[in-house]
Structures are given as structure tokens and as C-alpha cells.
């Protein structure tokens, strides 16, 4: 009776992991890759619009203090840096199409890419945020001299609130991005195991 229950457990475990279609996995991977690429392009377009706005503000306003000019320069450099990173990642994920024919290499590529994105969205994002904070602080120096105190205080409070909200949204962004990439890796690994077991010597003898 115990042997029967053990065999029953083995069979139920096999049923819980149904065979998956290679074509379905490839289609799912391509869809996820395209979705991820489009997200990168959208974020790049947003940063490009930010650069245009900052340049326009810099040119059209006669700022008095050098700190404000430095502030806008830092903001523009930060945006350009972010654009460069996103374009580089977009090219990397787009040029990975050929690796779909080599599952092991593609799994390795995705794991490495996932790790790099995590570092970008944690360590590098923290440094990026520090520079953005410095830029706002430099801008508030001029605002302190040309605007009422309540406007300066309100601007500082709004900026702090914006940083807090951005930090929380970034936590969600990181989790969703990591889950999306992990799902791609998991699907490939399942497909690889399925084909490995299908072509293993033990499978041929059964």
C-alpha cells in the first residue's frame, strides 16, 4: 500500500509539470523580448524629452548664479547618461535574437543581463539619484534669493516627496523587471530539461 502511494505521488508530480511546446516557448520569449525592448525605447524617449526641456529652460531664462547653470548641466548629463545606458541595453536585447537557437548560451546571456540590470537599478540608480539631488540643491540656492521663503520651502518639500515616491516606485519597477527576466530564464530552462530528458540514454531504453 505504501509502494502504491509512493508511485501515485510520482505520477501526480509528473502530471503537475505538463510538457511544453518549444514553439510556444520561443513565441513567448520573443513577445517578452519585444515588450522589454519597447519599454526601454519608451523610457529613452522620456529622457530625451527631459533633455530638450532642460536645454530650453537653460537657454530661455537669464539665471543669475553659477550654481543654477551647474545644476542644469548636471541634470542634462544625468539624462544623457541614462539615455546611453537604455540604448545600449536595447541594442543588447534586440541583438540576442540569434541566441534563441542556442538555449544554453541564451540562458547564460539572460542571467548575466538580469544581473546587470539589477546593478543598474540599485547601485547605479543610487549614484544617479545623488547627482539629481545635488542638482536640485544647487538650483534651490538661486531660488532662495529670488523667491519668497515659503516657495523655496515648498519646493524643497515637494522635491523630497518626489524622491520618496520615486524610490518606492523604483522598488516595484525592479521587482517586475526581475520577475519578467526570471520568467524568460525559467521557461528556457524548463524547455532545456524537457529536451535533455527526451534525448537522454535512460529515455531511449524505456
Amino acid at each position: 500500500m505504501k509502494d502504491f502511494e509512493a508511485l501515485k505521488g510520482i505520477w501526480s508530480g509528473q502530471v503537475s509539470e505538463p510538457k511544453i511546446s518549444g514553439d510556444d516557448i520561443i513565441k513567448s520569449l520573443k513577445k517578452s523580448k519585444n515588450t522589454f525592448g519597447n519599454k526601454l525605447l519608451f523610457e529613452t524617449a522620456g529622457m530625451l524629452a527631459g533633455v530638450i526641456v532642460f536645454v530650453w529652460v537653460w537657454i530661455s531664462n537669464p539665471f543669475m548664479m553659477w550654481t543654477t547653470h551647474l545644476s542644469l548641466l548636471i541634470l542634462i548629463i544625468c539624462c544623457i547618461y541614462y539615455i546611453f545606458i537604455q540604448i545600449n541595453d536595447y541594442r543588447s536585447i534586440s541583438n540576442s535574437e540569434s541566441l534563441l537557437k542556442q538555449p544554453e548560451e541564451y540562458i547564460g546571456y539572460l542571467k548575466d543581463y538580469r544581473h546587470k540590470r539589477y546593478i543598474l537599478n540599485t547601485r547605479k540608480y543610487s549614484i544617479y539619484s545623488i547627482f539629481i539631488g545635488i542638482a536640485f540643491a544647487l538650483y534651490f540656492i538661486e531660488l532662495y534669493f529670488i523667491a519668497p521663503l515659503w516657495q523655496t520651502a515648498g519646493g524643497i518639500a515637494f522635491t523630497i516627496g518626489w524622491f520618496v515616491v520615486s524610490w518606492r516606485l523604483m522598488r516595484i519597477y525592479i521587482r517586475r523587471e526581475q520577475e519578467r527576466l526570471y520568467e524568460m530564464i525559467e521557461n528556457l530552462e524548463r524547455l532545456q530539461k524537457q529536451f535533455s530528458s527526451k534525448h537522454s540514454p535512460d529515455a531511449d531504453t524505456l
Side-chain angles (χ1 to χ4, degrees):
M1 204 57 192
K2 290 182 179 179
D3 292 338
F4 174 76
E5 290 298 327
L7 287 172
K8 185 178 177 181
I10 292 172
W11 278 107
S12 62
Q14 291 179 350
V15 172
S16 63
E17 278 194 44
K19 297 296 182 181
I20 51 179
S21 168
D23 291 337
D24 291 341
I25 290 296
I26 297 300
K27 288 178 182 178
S28 176
L29 284 170
K30 287 182 176 180
K31 183 179 178 181
S32 297
K33 185 173 70 67
N34 291 334
T35 301
F36 196 79
N38 291 335
K39 179 182 70 70
L40 293 176
L41 285 179
F42 179 78
E43 292 172 0
T44 302
M47 278 296 166
L48 183 59
V51 170
I52 294 172
V53 169
F54 289 136
V55 170
W56 177 79
V57 170
W58 199 355
I59 295 174
S60 60
N61 291 276
F63 296 111
M64 297 183 299
M65 304 185 67
W66 65 268
T67 53
T68 307
H69 294 284
L70 180 59
S71 169
L72 289 168
L73 179 61
I74 292 173
L75 288 172
I76 292 171
I77 291 175
C78 286
C79 289
I80 291 175
Y81 169 77
Y82 191 86
I83 289 171
F84 174 79
I85 292 295
Q86 295 296 82
I87 289 176
N88 187 54
D89 280 356
Y90 174 77
R91 292 177 61 185
S92 176
I93 199 76
S94 297
N95 294 336
S96 64
E97 185 78 23
S98 60
L99 292 177
L100 286 172
K101 298 178 182 178
Q102 304 167 10
E104 289 186 8
E105 291 186 23
Y106 197 53
I107 290 171
Y109 162 80
L110 285 176
K111 287 181 176 179
D112 183 61
Y113 184 80
R114 182 171 181 252
H115 179 65
K116 288 180 179 178
R117 289 294 299 182
Y118 181 78
I119 292 176
L120 172 67
N121 292 326
T122 52
R123 300 179 199 170
K124 293 183 179 180
Y125 179 78
S126 297
I127 298 173
Y128 175 85
S129 298
I130 289 172
F131 277 99
I132 294 292
I134 292 172
F136 276 110
L138 291 170
Y139 171 75
F140 284 128
I141 293 175
E142 177 158 332
L143 187 64
Y144 173 78
F145 288 103
I146 65 173
L149 182 59
W150 69 269
Q151 289 186 1
T152 305
I156 294 173
F158 175 81
T159 302
I160 293 173
W162 177 77
F163 269 102
V164 172
V165 172
S166 296
W167 181 82
R168 291 188 176 182
L169 290 177
M170 193 62 186
R171 298 300 98 190
I172 299 173
Y173 177 91
I174 293 171
R175 178 175 55 80
R176 289 181 177 176
E177 182 175 280
Q178 290 292 304
E179 286 176 353
R180 186 180 294 112
L181 290 171
Y182 179 75
E183 183 180 0
M184 294 172 68
I185 294 169
E186 190 179 43
N187 285 336
L188 269 177
E189 287 179 336
R190 285 178 60 201
L191 185 63
Q192 185 185 33
K193 288 179 181 178
Q194 180 173 308
F195 281 116
S196 296
S197 61
K198 181 178 180 181
H199 295 289
S200 65
D202 293 338
D204 293 335
T205 58
L206 292 177

